[in-house]
Coordinates of all heavy atoms in Angstrom, one line a residue:
I18 N -160.8 89.6 -13.3 CA -160.0 90.8 -13.4 C -158.5 90.4 -13.4 O -158.0 89.8 -12.4 CB -160.2 91.8 -12.3 CG1 -161.7 92.2 -12.2 CG2 -159.3 93.0 -12.4 CD1 -162.1 93.0 -11.0
T19 N -157.8 90.6 -14.5 CA -156.4 90.3 -14.6 C -155.5 91.3 -13.8 O -156.0 92.4 -13.5 CB -155.9 90.2 -16.0 OG1 -156.0 91.5 -16.6 CG2 -156.8 89.2 -16.8
Q20 N -154.2 91.0 -13.6 CA -153.3 91.9 -13.0 C -153.2 93.1 -13.9 O -153.0 94.3 -13.4 CB -152.0 91.3 -12.8 CG -152.0 90.2 -11.6 CD -150.7 89.5 -11.4 OE1 -150.1 89.1 -12.4 NE2 -150.4 89.3 -10.2
E21 N -153.2 92.9 -15.2 CA -153.1 94.1 -16.2 C -154.3 95.0 -16.0 O -154.1 96.2 -16.0 CB -152.9 93.5 -17.6 CG -151.6 92.8 -17.9 CD -151.6 91.4 -17.4 OE1 -152.7 90.8 -17.1 OE2 -150.5 90.8 -17.3
E22 N -155.5 94.4 -15.9 CA -156.7 95.2 -15.7 C -156.6 95.9 -14.4 O -157.1 97.1 -14.3 CB -157.9 94.4 -15.9 CG -158.2 93.9 -17.3 CD -159.3 92.8 -17.3 OE1 -159.3 91.9 -16.4 OE2 -160.1 92.9 -18.3
E23 N -156.2 95.3 -13.4 CA -156.1 95.9 -12.0 C -155.2 97.1 -12.1 O -155.5 98.1 -11.5 CB -155.5 94.9 -11.0 CG -155.4 95.4 -9.6 CD -154.9 94.5 -8.6 OE1 -154.5 93.3 -9.0 OE2 -154.9 94.8 -7.4
A24 N -154.1 97.0 -12.8 CA -153.2 98.2 -12.9 C -153.8 99.4 -13.6 O -153.3 100.5 -13.5 CB -151.9 97.7 -13.7
T25 N -154.8 99.2 -14.4 CA -155.5 100.3 -15.1 C -156.7 100.8 -14.4 O -157.4 101.7 -14.9 CB -155.8 99.9 -16.5 OG1 -156.9 98.9 -16.5 CG2 -154.6 99.4 -17.3
L26 N -157.0 100.3 -13.2 CA -158.2 100.8 -12.5 C -158.0 102.2 -12.1 O -156.9 102.7 -11.9 CB -158.4 100.0 -11.2 CG -158.9 98.5 -11.3 CD1 -158.9 97.9 -10.0 CD2 -160.3 98.5 -12.0
P27 N -159.1 103.0 -12.0 CA -159.0 104.4 -11.6 C -158.5 104.5 -10.2 O -158.5 103.5 -9.4 CB -160.4 104.9 -11.7 CG -161.3 103.8 -12.2 CD -160.5 102.6 -12.3
F28 N -158.0 105.6 -9.9 CA -157.6 105.9 -8.5 C -158.8 106.3 -7.7 O -159.6 107.1 -8.1 CB -156.6 107.1 -8.4 CG -156.2 107.5 -7.1 CD1 -155.2 106.8 -6.4 CD2 -156.8 108.6 -6.4 CE1 -154.9 107.1 -5.1 CE2 -156.4 108.9 -5.1 CZ -155.5 108.2 -4.5
F29 N -159.0 105.7 -6.5 CA -160.2 105.9 -5.7 C -159.7 106.6 -4.4 O -158.7 106.3 -3.8 CB -160.9 104.6 -5.3 CG -161.3 103.8 -6.5 CD1 -160.7 102.6 -6.8 CD2 -162.3 104.3 -7.4 CE1 -161.1 101.9 -7.9 CE2 -162.7 103.6 -8.5 CZ -162.1 102.3 -8.8
N30 N -160.5 107.6 -4.0 CA -160.2 108.4 -2.8 C -160.8 107.8 -1.5 O -160.4 108.2 -0.4 CB -160.7 109.8 -2.9 CG -159.9 110.5 -4.0 OD1 -158.6 110.6 -3.9 ND2 -160.5 111.1 -5.0
S31 N -161.7 106.8 -1.7 CA -162.4 106.3 -0.5 C -163.0 104.9 -0.9 O -163.2 104.6 -2.1 CB -163.5 107.2 0.0 OG -164.6 107.2 -1.0
H32 N -163.4 104.2 0.2 CA -164.1 102.9 0.0 C -165.4 103.1 -0.8 O -165.7 102.4 -1.8 CB -164.4 102.3 1.3 CG -165.4 101.2 1.2 ND1 -166.7 101.4 1.5 CD2 -165.3 99.9 0.8 CE1 -167.4 100.3 1.4 NE2 -166.6 99.4 0.9
D33 N -166.1 104.2 -0.4 CA -167.4 104.4 -1.1 C -167.3 104.7 -2.6 O -168.0 104.2 -3.4 CB -168.1 105.6 -0.4 CG -168.6 105.2 1.0 OD1 -168.7 104.0 1.3 OD2 -168.9 106.1 1.8
E34 N -166.2 105.5 -2.9 CA -166.0 105.8 -4.3 C -165.7 104.5 -5.1 O -166.2 104.3 -6.2 CB -164.8 106.8 -4.4 CG -164.6 107.4 -5.8 CD -163.5 108.4 -5.7 OE1 -163.6 109.4 -5.0 OE2 -162.4 108.1 -6.4
A35 N -164.8 103.7 -4.5 CA -164.4 102.4 -5.2 C -165.7 101.5 -5.3 O -165.9 100.9 -6.4 CB -163.3 101.7 -4.5
L36 N -166.4 101.4 -4.3 CA -167.6 100.5 -4.3 C -168.6 101.0 -5.3 O -169.1 100.1 -6.1 CB -168.3 100.5 -2.9 CG -169.6 99.7 -2.8 CD1 -169.3 98.3 -3.1 CD2 -170.2 99.9 -1.4
I37 N -168.8 102.2 -5.5 CA -169.7 102.7 -6.5 C -169.2 102.3 -7.9 O -170.0 101.8 -8.7 CB -169.9 104.2 -6.4 CG1 -170.7 104.6 -5.2 CG2 -170.6 104.8 -7.7 CD1 -170.7 106.1 -4.8
W38 N -167.9 102.5 -8.1 CA -167.4 102.1 -9.4 C -167.6 100.6 -9.7 O -168.0 100.2 -10.8 CB -165.9 102.5 -9.5 CG -165.3 102.3 -10.8 CD1 -165.2 103.2 -11.8 CD2 -164.7 101.1 -11.3 NE1 -164.6 102.7 -12.9 CE2 -164.2 101.4 -12.7 CE3 -164.4 99.8 -10.8 CZ2 -163.6 100.5 -13.5 CZ3 -163.8 98.9 -11.6 CH2 -163.4 99.2 -12.9
F39 N -167.2 99.7 -8.7 CA -167.3 98.3 -8.9 C -168.8 97.9 -9.1 O -169.1 97.0 -9.9 CB -166.7 97.5 -7.8 CG -165.2 97.4 -7.9 CD1 -164.3 98.3 -7.3 CD2 -164.6 96.4 -8.7 CE1 -163.0 98.2 -7.4 CE2 -163.3 96.3 -8.8 CZ -162.4 97.2 -8.2
K40 N -169.7 98.5 -8.3 CA -171.1 98.1 -8.4 C -171.7 98.5 -9.8 O -172.5 97.8 -10.4 CB -171.9 98.8 -7.3 CG -171.8 98.1 -6.0 CD -172.3 96.6 -6.1 CE -173.3 96.3 -5.0 NZ -173.8 94.9 -5.1
N41 N -171.3 99.7 -10.3 CA -171.7 100.2 -11.6 C -171.2 99.2 -12.7 O -171.9 99.0 -13.6 CB -171.2 101.6 -11.9 CG -172.1 102.6 -11.1 OD1 -173.2 102.4 -10.8 ND2 -171.5 103.8 -10.9
K42 N -170.0 98.7 -12.5 CA -169.4 97.8 -13.5 C -169.9 96.4 -13.4 O -170.2 95.8 -14.5 CB -167.9 97.9 -13.4 CG -167.2 97.0 -14.5 CD -165.8 97.3 -14.6 CE -165.1 96.4 -15.7 NZ -165.0 97.0 -17.0
Y43 N -170.1 95.9 -12.2 CA -170.4 94.5 -12.0 C -171.8 94.2 -11.5 O -172.2 93.0 -11.3 CB -169.3 93.8 -11.2 CG -168.0 93.9 -11.8 CD1 -167.0 94.7 -11.4 CD2 -167.7 93.1 -13.0 CE1 -165.7 94.8 -11.9 CE2 -166.4 93.2 -13.6 CZ -165.5 94.0 -13.1 OH -164.2 94.1 -13.7
S44 N -172.5 95.2 -11.1 CA -173.9 95.1 -10.6 C -174.0 94.0 -9.5 O -173.3 94.1 -8.5 CB -174.8 94.8 -11.8 OG -176.1 94.9 -11.4
N45 N -175.0 93.1 -9.6 CA -175.2 92.2 -8.5 C -174.2 91.0 -8.5 O -174.3 90.1 -7.7 CB -176.7 91.6 -8.6 CG -176.9 90.8 -9.9 OD1 -176.1 90.9 -10.8 ND2 -177.9 89.9 -9.8
N46 N -173.2 91.1 -9.4 CA -172.1 90.1 -9.3 C -171.0 90.5 -8.4 O -170.0 89.8 -8.3 CB -171.6 89.8 -10.7 CG -172.6 89.0 -11.5 OD1 -173.2 88.1 -11.0 ND2 -172.7 89.3 -12.8
F47 N -171.2 91.7 -7.8 CA -170.2 92.2 -6.8 C -170.8 92.2 -5.4 O -171.7 93.1 -5.2 CB -169.7 93.6 -7.3 CG -168.5 94.1 -6.6 CD1 -167.3 93.5 -6.9 CD2 -168.5 95.0 -5.6 CE1 -166.1 93.9 -6.3 CE2 -167.4 95.5 -5.0 CZ -166.1 94.9 -5.3
I48 N -170.5 91.3 -4.6 CA -171.2 91.1 -3.3 C -170.2 91.3 -2.1 O -169.1 90.9 -2.1 CB -171.9 89.8 -3.2 CG1 -170.9 88.6 -3.3 CG2 -173.0 89.7 -4.3 CD1 -171.6 87.3 -3.0
F49 N -170.7 91.9 -1.1 CA -170.0 92.1 0.2 C -169.9 90.8 1.0 O -170.9 90.1 1.1 CB -170.7 93.2 1.0 CG -170.1 93.5 2.3 CD1 -168.9 94.2 2.4 CD2 -170.7 93.1 3.5 CE1 -168.3 94.4 3.7 CE2 -170.2 93.3 4.7 CZ -169.0 94.0 4.8
T50 N -168.7 90.5 1.5 CA -168.6 89.3 2.3 C -168.1 89.6 3.7 O -168.2 88.6 4.6 CB -167.7 88.3 1.6 OG1 -166.4 88.9 1.5 CG2 -168.2 87.9 0.3
G51 N -167.7 90.8 4.1 CA -167.2 91.0 5.4 C -166.2 92.1 5.4 O -165.8 92.7 4.4
S52 N -165.8 92.5 6.6 CA -164.7 93.5 6.8 C -163.9 93.3 8.1 O -164.4 92.6 9.0 CB -165.3 94.9 6.8 OG -166.2 95.1 7.9
E53 N -162.7 93.8 8.1 CA -161.9 93.7 9.3 C -160.8 94.8 9.2 O -160.5 95.4 8.2 CB -161.2 92.3 9.4 CG -160.2 92.0 8.4 CD -159.6 90.6 8.6 OE1 -160.4 89.6 8.5 OE2 -158.4 90.5 8.7
M54 N -160.2 95.0 10.4 CA -159.1 96.0 10.4 C -157.8 95.3 10.0 O -157.5 94.3 10.5 CB -159.0 96.6 11.8 CG -160.2 97.4 12.3 SD -160.5 98.8 11.3 CE -159.1 99.9 11.7
I55 N -157.1 96.0 9.1 CA -155.8 95.5 8.7 C -154.8 96.7 8.7 O -155.1 97.7 8.0 CB -155.8 94.9 7.3 CG1 -156.7 93.7 7.2 CG2 -154.4 94.6 6.8 CD1 -156.9 93.1 5.9
D56 N -153.8 96.7 9.5 CA -152.8 97.7 9.6 C -153.5 99.1 9.8 O -153.2 100.1 9.1 CB -151.9 97.8 8.4 CG -151.0 96.6 8.3 OD1 -150.7 96.0 9.4 OD2 -150.6 96.2 7.2
E57 N -154.4 99.2 10.8 CA -155.1 100.4 11.2 C -156.1 101.0 10.1 O -156.5 102.1 10.2 CB -154.1 101.5 11.6 CG -153.3 101.0 12.8 CD -152.3 102.1 13.3 OE1 -152.5 103.2 13.0 OE2 -151.4 101.7 14.0
L58 N -156.3 100.2 9.0 CA -157.3 100.6 8.0 C -158.4 99.5 7.9 O -158.1 98.3 8.0 CB -156.7 100.7 6.6 CG -156.0 102.0 6.2 CD1 -155.4 101.9 4.9 CD2 -157.1 103.2 6.3
K59 N -159.6 100.0 7.8 CA -160.7 99.0 7.6 C -160.6 98.5 6.2 O -160.6 99.2 5.3 CB -162.0 99.6 8.0 CG -163.1 98.6 8.1 CD -164.4 99.2 8.6 CE -165.4 98.1 8.9 NZ -166.6 98.7 9.5
C60 N -160.7 97.1 6.1 CA -160.7 96.5 4.8 C -162.0 95.8 4.6 O -162.5 95.1 5.5 CB -159.6 95.5 4.7 SG -159.5 94.6 3.1
H61 N -162.7 96.1 3.5 CA -164.0 95.5 3.1 C -163.7 94.4 2.0 O -163.1 94.7 1.0 CB -164.9 96.6 2.6 CG -165.0 97.8 3.5 ND1 -165.9 97.8 4.5 CD2 -164.2 98.9 3.6 CE1 -165.8 99.0 5.2 NE2 -164.7 99.6 4.6
F62 N -164.2 93.2 2.3 CA -164.0 92.1 1.4 C -165.3 91.9 0.5 O -166.4 91.9 1.0 CB -163.8 90.8 2.2 CG -162.5 90.9 3.0 CD1 -162.6 91.4 4.3 CD2 -161.3 90.6 2.5 CE1 -161.5 91.5 5.1 CE2 -160.1 90.7 3.3 CZ -160.2 91.1 4.6
Y63 N -165.0 91.7 -0.8 CA -166.1 91.5 -1.7 C -165.7 90.3 -2.6 O -164.6 90.0 -2.8 CB -166.3 92.7 -2.7 CG -166.8 93.9 -1.9 CD1 -165.9 94.8 -1.3 CD2 -168.1 94.2 -1.8 CE1 -166.3 95.9 -0.6 CE2 -168.6 95.3 -1.1 CZ -167.6 96.2 -0.5 OH -168.1 97.3 0.2
Y64 N -166.8 89.6 -3.1 CA -166.5 88.6 -4.2 C -167.1 89.2 -5.5 O -168.2 89.7 -5.5 CB -167.3 87.3 -3.9 CG -166.7 86.5 -2.8 CD1 -167.4 85.4 -2.2 CD2 -165.4 86.7 -2.3 CE1 -166.9 84.6 -1.2 CE2 -164.9 85.9 -1.3 CZ -165.6 84.9 -0.8 OH -165.1 84.1 0.2
L65 N -166.3 89.0 -6.5 CA -166.8 89.3 -7.9 C -167.2 87.9 -8.4 O -166.3 87.0 -8.6 CB -165.7 89.9 -8.8 CG -166.0 89.9 -10.3 CD1 -167.3 90.7 -10.5 CD2 -164.8 90.5 -11.0
I66 N -168.5 87.7 -8.5 CA -169.0 86.4 -9.0 C -168.7 86.2 -10.4 O -169.2 87.0 -11.3 CB -170.5 86.2 -8.7 CG1 -170.8 86.5 -7.2 CG2 -171.0 84.8 -9.1 CD1 -170.1 85.7 -6.2
I67 N -168.0 85.2 -10.8 CA -167.6 84.8 -12.1 C -168.6 83.8 -12.7 O -168.9 84.0 -13.9 CB -166.1 84.3 -12.2 CG1 -165.1 85.2 -11.5 CG2 -165.7 83.9 -13.6 CD1 -165.0 86.5 -12.1
N68 N -169.0 82.8 -12.0 CA -169.9 81.8 -12.4 C -171.0 81.6 -11.3 O -170.7 80.9 -10.3 CB -169.2 80.5 -12.7 CG -170.1 79.5 -13.3 OD1 -171.2 79.3 -12.8 ND2 -169.7 78.8 -14.3
R69 N -172.1 82.3 -11.5 CA -173.1 82.3 -10.5 C -173.7 80.9 -10.2 O -173.9 80.6 -9.0 CB -174.3 83.3 -10.8 CG -175.3 83.4 -9.7 CD -176.1 84.6 -9.7 NE -175.4 85.8 -9.6 CZ -175.1 86.4 -8.4 NH1 -175.3 85.7 -7.3 NH2 -174.5 87.5 -8.3
E70 N -173.8 80.1 -11.2 CA -174.4 78.8 -11.0 C -173.5 77.9 -10.0 O -174.0 77.3 -9.1 CB -174.6 78.1 -12.3 CG -175.2 76.7 -12.2 CD -175.4 76.0 -13.5 OE1 -175.5 76.7 -14.6 OE2 -175.4 74.8 -13.5
I71 N -172.2 77.9 -10.3 CA -171.3 77.2 -9.5 C -171.2 77.8 -8.1 O -171.2 77.1 -7.1 CB -169.9 77.1 -10.1 CG1 -170.0 76.2 -11.4 CG2 -168.8 76.6 -9.2 CD1 -168.7 76.2 -12.2
Y72 N -171.1 79.1 -8.0 CA -171.0 79.8 -6.7 C -172.2 79.5 -5.8 O -172.1 79.1 -4.7 CB -170.9 81.3 -6.9 CG -170.9 82.1 -5.6 CD1 -169.7 82.2 -4.9 CD2 -172.0 82.7 -5.2 CE1 -169.7 82.9 -3.7 CE2 -172.0 83.4 -4.0 CZ -170.9 83.5 -3.2 OH -170.8 84.2 -2.0
E73 N -173.4 79.6 -6.4 CA -174.6 79.4 -5.6 C -174.7 77.9 -5.2 O -175.2 77.6 -4.1 CB -175.9 79.8 -6.4 CG -175.9 81.4 -6.4 CD -177.1 81.9 -7.1 OE1 -177.9 81.1 -7.7 OE2 -177.3 83.1 -7.1
A74 N -174.3 77.0 -6.1 CA -174.3 75.5 -5.8 C -173.4 75.3 -4.6 O -173.7 74.5 -3.7 CB -174.0 74.7 -7.0
G75 N -172.2 75.9 -4.6 CA -171.3 75.7 -3.5 C -171.8 76.3 -2.2 O -171.7 75.7 -1.1
Q76 N -172.4 77.5 -2.3 CA -173.0 78.1 -1.1 C -174.1 77.2 -0.5 O -174.2 77.0 0.7 CB -173.6 79.5 -1.4 CG -172.6 80.5 -1.7 CD -171.9 81.0 -0.4 OE1 -172.5 81.5 0.5 NE2 -170.6 80.8 -0.3
N77 N -175.0 76.7 -1.4 CA -176.1 75.8 -1.0 C -175.5 74.5 -0.3 O -176.0 74.1 0.7 CB -177.0 75.5 -2.2 CG -178.2 74.7 -1.7 OD1 -178.9 75.1 -0.8 ND2 -178.4 73.6 -2.4
E78 N -174.5 73.9 -1.0 CA -173.9 72.7 -0.4 C -173.4 73.0 1.0 O -173.5 72.2 1.9 CB -172.9 72.2 -1.3 CG -172.3 70.9 -0.9 CD -171.3 70.3 -1.8 OE1 -170.6 71.0 -2.5 OE2 -171.1 69.0 -1.8
F79 N -172.7 74.1 1.1 CA -172.1 74.5 2.5 C -173.2 74.6 3.5 O -173.1 74.2 4.6 CB -171.3 75.7 2.4 CG -170.6 76.0 3.6 CD1 -169.5 75.3 4.1 CD2 -171.0 77.1 4.4 CE1 -168.9 75.6 5.3 CE2 -170.4 77.4 5.6 CZ -169.3 76.6 6.1
L80 N -174.3 75.3 3.1 CA -175.4 75.6 4.1 C -176.1 74.3 4.4 O -176.5 74.1 5.6 CB -176.4 76.6 3.5 CG -175.9 78.0 3.4 CD1 -176.8 78.9 2.6 CD2 -175.6 78.6 4.8
T81 N -176.3 73.4 3.5 CA -177.1 72.2 3.8 C -176.2 71.0 4.3 O -176.7 70.2 5.1 CB -177.8 71.7 2.5 OG1 -176.9 71.4 1.5 CG2 -178.8 72.7 2.1
K82 N -174.9 70.9 3.9 CA -174.1 69.8 4.3 C -172.9 70.2 5.2 O -172.3 69.3 5.8 CB -173.5 69.1 3.1 CG -174.6 68.5 2.2 CD -173.9 67.8 0.9 CE -174.9 67.3 0.0 NZ -174.3 66.7 -1.2
G83 N -172.6 71.5 5.3 CA -171.5 71.9 6.1 C -170.2 71.8 5.4 O -169.2 72.1 6.0
I84 N -170.2 71.4 4.2 CA -168.9 71.2 3.4 C -169.2 71.6 1.9 O -170.3 71.6 1.5 CB -168.4 69.8 3.5 CG1 -169.4 68.8 2.8 CG2 -168.0 69.3 4.9 CD1 -168.8 67.4 2.5
I85 N -168.1 71.8 1.2 CA -168.1 72.0 -0.2 C -167.2 70.9 -0.8 O -166.0 70.9 -0.5 CB -167.7 73.4 -0.6 CG1 -168.6 74.5 0.0 CG2 -167.6 73.5 -2.2 CD1 -168.1 75.9 -0.2
T86 N -167.8 70.0 -1.5 CA -167.0 68.8 -2.0 C -166.0 69.2 -3.1 O -164.9 68.6 -3.1 CB -167.9 67.7 -2.5 OG1 -168.9 68.2 -3.4 CG2 -168.7 67.1 -1.3
D87 N -166.4 70.1 -3.9 CA -165.4 70.5 -5.0 C -165.0 71.9 -4.8 O -165.4 72.8 -5.5 CB -166.1 70.3 -6.4 CG -165.1 70.5 -7.5 OD1 -164.0 70.8 -7.3 OD2 -165.6 70.3 -8.7
V88 N -164.1 72.0 -3.8 CA -163.6 73.4 -3.4 C -162.9 74.1 -4.5 O -163.1 75.3 -4.6 CB -162.7 73.2 -2.1 CG1 -162.1 74.6 -1.7 CG2 -163.5 72.7 -0.9
I89 N -162.1 73.4 -5.2 CA -161.3 74.1 -6.3 C -162.3 74.7 -7.3 O -162.1 75.9 -7.7 CB -160.4 73.1 -7.0 CG1 -159.4 72.5 -6.0 CG2 -159.6 73.8 -8.1 CD1 -158.5 73.5 -5.3
T90 N -163.3 74.0 -7.8 CA -164.2 74.5 -8.7 C -165.0 75.7 -8.1 O -165.2 76.7 -8.7 CB -165.2 73.4 -9.2 OG1 -164.5 72.4 -9.9 CG2 -166.2 74.0 -10.2
Y91 N -165.4 75.5 -6.9 CA -166.2 76.6 -6.2 C -165.3 77.9 -6.1 O -165.8 79.0 -6.4 CB -166.6 76.1 -4.8 CG -167.1 77.2 -3.9 CD1 -168.4 77.8 -4.2 CD2 -166.4 77.8 -2.9 CE1 -168.9 78.8 -3.4 CE2 -166.9 78.8 -2.1 CZ -168.1 79.3 -2.3 OH -168.6 80.3 -1.6
M92 N -164.0 77.7 -5.7 CA -163.2 78.9 -5.5 C -162.9 79.6 -6.9 O -162.6 80.8 -6.9 CB -161.9 78.5 -4.8 CG -162.1 78.2 -3.4 SD -160.6 77.7 -2.5 CE -159.7 79.3 -2.6
G93 N -163.0 78.9 -8.0 CA -162.9 79.5 -9.3 C -164.1 80.2 -9.7 O -164.1 80.8 -10.8
S94 N -165.2 80.1 -9.0 CA -166.5 80.8 -9.4 C -166.5 82.2 -8.9 O -167.5 82.9 -9.3 CB -167.7 80.0 -8.8 OG -167.8 80.2 -7.4
Y95 N -165.5 82.7 -8.2 CA -165.5 84.1 -7.7 C -164.1 84.5 -7.6 O -163.1 83.8 -7.6 CB -166.2 84.3 -6.4 CG -165.5 83.5 -5.2 CD1 -164.6 84.2 -4.5 CD2 -165.9 82.2 -4.9 CE1 -163.9 83.5 -3.4 CE2 -165.3 81.6 -3.9 CZ -164.3 82.2 -3.1 OH -163.7 81.6 -2.1
Q96 N -163.9 85.9 -7.5 CA -162.6 86.5 -7.3 C -162.7 87.5 -6.2 O -163.7 88.3 -6.1 CB -162.1 87.2 -8.6 CG -160.8 87.8 -8.5 CD -160.4 88.4 -9.8 OE1 -161.2 88.8 -10.7 NE2 -159.1 88.5 -10.0

Side-chain angles (χ1 to χ4, degrees):
I18 301 170
T19 65
Q20 289 176 319
E21 292 80 14
E22 290 170 318
E23 180 180 6
T25 66
L26 289 175
F28 176 80
F29 303 111
N30 293 302
S31 68
H32 164 261
D33 291 341
E34 187 178 299
L36 177 59
I37 290 168
W38 188 89
F39 279 97
K40 282 299 230 179
N41 284 336
K42 183 163 177 97
Y43 298 107
S44 189
N45 67 339
N46 287 322
F47 195 73
I48 61 171
F49 177 74
T50 62
S52 60
E53 67 180 61
M54 296 299 290
I55 298 177
D56 294 332
E57 299 181 21
L58 272 178
K59 191 169 189 177
C60 179
H61 307 269
F62 299 92
Y63 295 88
Y64 286 167
L65 171 58
I66 306 302
I67 306 297
N68 184 315
R69 184 159 296 277
E70 182 179 336
I71 292 172
Y72 177 79
E73 288 179 354
Q76 289 286 299
N77 185 49
E78 183 178 31
F79 184 73
L80 289 172
T81 59
K82 298 179 182 177
I84 62 166
I85 298 173
T86 52
D87 190 353
V88 173
I89 300 299
T90 300
Y91 170 73
M92 289 180 67
S94 71
Y95 65 90
Q96 183 176 25

